[in-house]
């Protein structure tokens, strides 16, 4: 899901300036009074695992960590188990031990498998189950977007290293390999984990729940896809203990696998576009279009910006926004920033 | 999911050049022999709804359209209905008419609701149901990422226009409003549709399936979250005809809603980072770091690149890749590209 912006091109810097003239001036004033406490930053700012920049303006908890995901998961399961343990008489179906059933019901609801071997049988239990299904969906989404991806990325480096052990890649080649084929390696990694989970689940269902092989495999498939028809499910106490962990991991794993396939698709598309932008012949028209300051030749930075736009990494809107700031800072209107420019631009105004 | 690239910074242009020297030269040769048939391109390249650029190198069907999604959906449902219509004797549970049941079973499987009121009862039917569940998941993913988002974005413009009708926004302000709050408006739009679907579903279940109000609402919630315990479901023929359409739309709608909430979160994070990068004080160190060609002052394009990196929109790796091409084209090594540079760089080599 890139940002499609067919209409953005009409936002030329000139039109922006005229419409935002007074906002801009007000902003300058505000900015001049603000003391700067932030250390100079490199592009580490955006790295999830790097230390967060200590600044007054940037929110500190930008990247919810694995800890946060684990905390939410614990709270969800904790509250769920207590609620359904108390409401146990209002839940109908095949029962084993109270605590195990409460746990099992929680996980089956949260992952939206919903076998129906246990189901709420009172108004209160039904409404509570609805609430748990919605919050469970949101939680699974959180696990997918934050926790799982983080874990997979950590393992990815190991996988790439193992797969390329015989090729003796240098550190820069190694990083390039990871960067350009990130999604492909993630897919592979999750696929391997998924296979292991499917085999484990099928074996367990065959041995412990005494299902025949086809039924065991069918139940595994119906579970990880969160179908959960419920004609086959975990009915013994030990089966449900296993199910709690296995369902949680395997449903998330399959969903993550599909996410990575989508990412792989985007990655291929992106790489094709980058390849195309990098290999296509540069024409006079390109040079003219790339020449931002109209001085008759294209500097390195101008060329990079032009190509980035072509690759779809940035838009004219992004550039326009920053150009507003540039023009503000370029007090002597020379078209370049020097030390004297920023001193002038950032000095306190003469009158308070 | 941005690209976290803590190690990327080590990829300095110099190290890249040395390791890829011979690849680069080979690429130049290949490039010199290629005739250019593509028209000069602006940044419209990446717009999903703009016309695809006519070029020999860029793949033409980069953006699967709504048509493609509709085609896949029709094929899936067509094949599904035929299969389960033929296998009808091997499906157990509460039955109504054959065709309706086959349709209903398909949709309930594809969306992974899996009530279990109809379930496969032979090895063949079970394995087929598994295959349909997996492909259904993939298909729903496709609908979510391509079809639904496309439809919502089309409607979004109307919503923003309606909501801001009294404010009389100019066209540039209007686009800015859409750009910065894209996800927020999408959330709102899908939430409204979702509310309508929930009310419709509950009313239908109460009136046609004769469920009491709580049960109807419970069944609606269990369906749209794809829980599908199966203790309450659509059991009449007219109920199942309604269910086919309603389940398909409402499950996708809720999933899309959660996706947009995640997008909203990313958007806020992104906007905070952009705001921070635009308002923080520029220091000497920044100027030095931004000065790509080390000529002592920062040109507009250099400043834009530096800020884009700070915002996390691009990485040093992106710049390095394009700088390789720049240095290749800059035959006279002047640090700028002129018409004579590209003529020299792209002229056929003297010896074949």
């Amino acid at each position: 899901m890139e940002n499609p912006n067919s209409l953005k091109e009409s936002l030329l810097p000139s039109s922006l300036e005229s419409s935002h003239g007074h906002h801009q001036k007000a902003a300058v004033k505000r900015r001049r009074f603000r003391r700067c406490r932030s250390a100079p930053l490199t592009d580490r700012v955006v790295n999830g695992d790097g230390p967060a920049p200590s600044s007054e303006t940037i929110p500190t908890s930008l990247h919810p960590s694995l800890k946060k995901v684990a905390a939410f998961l614990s709270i969800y399961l904790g509250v769920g188990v207590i609620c359904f343990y108390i409401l146990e008489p209002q839940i109908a179906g095949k029962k084993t031990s109270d605590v195990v059933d409460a746990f099992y019901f929680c996980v089956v609801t949260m992952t939206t498998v919903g076998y129906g071997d246990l189901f709420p049988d009172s108004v209160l239990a039904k409404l509570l189950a609805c609430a748990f299904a919605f919050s469970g969906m949101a939680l699974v989404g959180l696990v997918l977007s934050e926790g799982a991806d983080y874990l997979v990325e950590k393992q990815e480096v190991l996988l790439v290293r193992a797969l390329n052990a015989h090729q003796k890649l240098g550190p820069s080649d190694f990083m390039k390999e990871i960067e350009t084929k990130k999604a492909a390696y993630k897919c592979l990694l999750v696929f391997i984990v998924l296979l292991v989970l499917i085999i484990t689940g099928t074996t367990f269902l065959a041995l412990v729940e005494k299902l025949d092989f086809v039924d065991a495999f069918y139940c595994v498939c119906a579970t990880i896809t969160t179908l959960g028809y419920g004609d086959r499910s975990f009915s013994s106490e030990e089966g449900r203990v296993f199910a709690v962990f296995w369902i949680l991991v395997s449903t998330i794993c399959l969903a993550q696998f599909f996410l990575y396939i989508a990412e792989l698709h985007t990655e291929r598309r992106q790489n094709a576009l980058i390849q195309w932008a990098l290999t296509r012949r540069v024409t006079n028209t390109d040079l003219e279009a790339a020449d931002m300051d109209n001085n008759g030749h294209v500097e390195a930075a101008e060329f990079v910006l032009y190509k980035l736009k072509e690759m779809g990494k940035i838009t004219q809107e992004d550039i326009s926004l920053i150009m507003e700031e540039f023009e503000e800072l370029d007090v002597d209107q020379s078209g370049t920033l020097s030390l004297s420019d920023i001193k002038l631009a950032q000095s306190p105004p003469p009158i308070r």
Side-chain angles (χ1 to χ4, degrees), chain A:
Chain A
M1 274 177 259
E2 316 93 309
N3 27 339
N5 32 21
S6 50
L7 286 154
K8 245 191 225 168
E9 279 73 58
S10 62
L11 270 179
L12 291 167
S14 58
S15 71
L16 261 177
E17 265 167 66
S18 58
S19 60
H20 289 288
H22 64 282
H23 292 298
Q24 217 169 292
K25 271 172 209 155
V28 179
K29 249 185 195 153
R30 246 180 289 122
R31 237 167 279 166
R32 280 180 186 165
F33 284 110
R34 187 183 287 147
R35 289 278 306 281
C36 174
R37 276 190 273 137
S38 65
L41 271 149
T42 63
D43 35 347
R44 304 197 79 205
V45 174
V46 283
N47 298 335
D49 23 23
S54 57
S55 157
E56 55 186 341
T57 38
I58 193 168
T60 46
S61 59
L62 283 182
H63 294 273
S65 66
L66 213 57
K67 272 184 195 169
K68 202 170 169 181
V69 172
F72 274 119
L73 204 62
S74 312
I75 293 170
Y76 177 90
L77 286 176
V79 173
V81 170
I82 293 169
C83 285
F84 291 115
Y85 183 76
I86 294 168
L87 287 181
E88 193 273 320
Q90 298 171 32
I91 290 174
K94 288 176 241 163
K95 299 216 180 166
T96 65
S97 104
D98 287 358
V99 183
V100 171
D101 283 358
F103 242 116
Y104 175 72
F105 185 72
C106 254
V107 170
V108 168
T109 302
M110 172 194 170
T111 55
T112 75
V113 170
Y115 290 123
D117 51 351
L118 289 176
F119 56 91
D121 205 23
S122 74
V123 171
L124 181 62
K126 278 174 186 173
L127 293 180
L128 209 64
C130 291
F132 267 84
F134 282 111
S135 50
M137 260 187 108
L139 188 56
V140 168
L142 187 72
V143 173
L144 282 174
S145 67
E146 305 285 346
D149 192 57
Y150 178 81
L151 281 180
V152 171
E153 279 194 6
K154 289 239 148 183
Q155 306 307 315
E156 192 186 20
V157 179
L158 297 178
L159 179 76
V160 178
R161 197 158 282 156
L163 287 178
N164 295 298
H166 59 285
Q167 288 185 27
K168 294 211 176 81
L169 291 177
S172 69
D173 282 319
F174 181 75
M175 286 321 297
K176 211 177 180 180
E177 178 77 13
I178 288 197
E179 267 319 307
T180 51
K181 294 182 189 167
K182 206 180 194 80
Y185 280 116
K186 281 182 184 175
C187 267
L188 182 63
L189 189 62
V190 173
F191 183 71
I192 295 169
V193 177
L194 201 58
L195 270 187
V196 172
L197 283 167
I198 290 175
I199 294 168
T200 318
T202 309
T203 314
F204 184 91
L205 279 165
L207 294 180
V208 179
E209 296 280 332
K210 314 280 183 225
L211 298 183
D212 70 51
F213 180 74
V214 172
D215 273 357
F217 179 72
Y218 161 71
C219 180
V220 163
C221 291
T223 304
I224 62 176
T225 56
T226 79
L227 246 182
Y229 290 127
D231 52 335
R232 296 285 178 281
S233 63
F234 296 85
S235 49
S236 68
E237 191 175 338
E238 56 268 48
R240 286 186 178 176
V241 171
F242 170 81
V244 165
F245 301 99
W246 183 81
I247 292 175
L248 202 56
V249 177
S250 58
T251 50
I252 285 172
C253 204
L254 183 65
Q256 194 74 41
F257 179 66
F258 278 113
L259 271 182
Y260 285 152
I261 288 191
E263 225 174 81
L264 184 66
H265 183 70
T266 313
E267 186 183 272
R268 293 231 165 116
R269 213 149 82 171
Q270 192 88 40
N271 283 348
L273 202 57
I274 290 175
Q275 212 46 46
W276 170 83
L278 283 179
T279 51
R280 99 184 165 80
R281 206 182 168 105
V282 177
T283 62
N284 311 353
T285 334
D286 289 321
L287 281 192
E288 267 171 47
D291 187 15
M292 272 173 74
D293 51 11
N294 293 314
N295 64 354
H297 42 250
V298 175
E299 281 100 34
E302 288 175 341
F303 185 74
V304 173
L305 273 184
Y306 184 72
K307 284 284 170 185
L308 283 172
K309 263 203 293 183
E310 207 171 71
M311 290 173 185
K313 295 230 175 202
I314 59 168
T315 62
Q316 186 58 46
E317 165 84 331
D318 295 326
I319 298 177
S320 307
L321 260 176
I322 304 171
M323 280 305 290
E324 280 182 56
E325 197 199 348
F326 179 83
E327 274 153 28
E328 226 170 77
L329 286 171
D330 184 20
V331 181
D332 61 5
Q333 309 242 322
S334 61
T336 60
L337 287 189
S338 57
L339 230 66
S340 60
D341 276 326
I342 60 164
K343 265 186 197 150
L344 270 171
Q346 293 177 339
S347 62
I351 307 147
R352 273 178 167 253

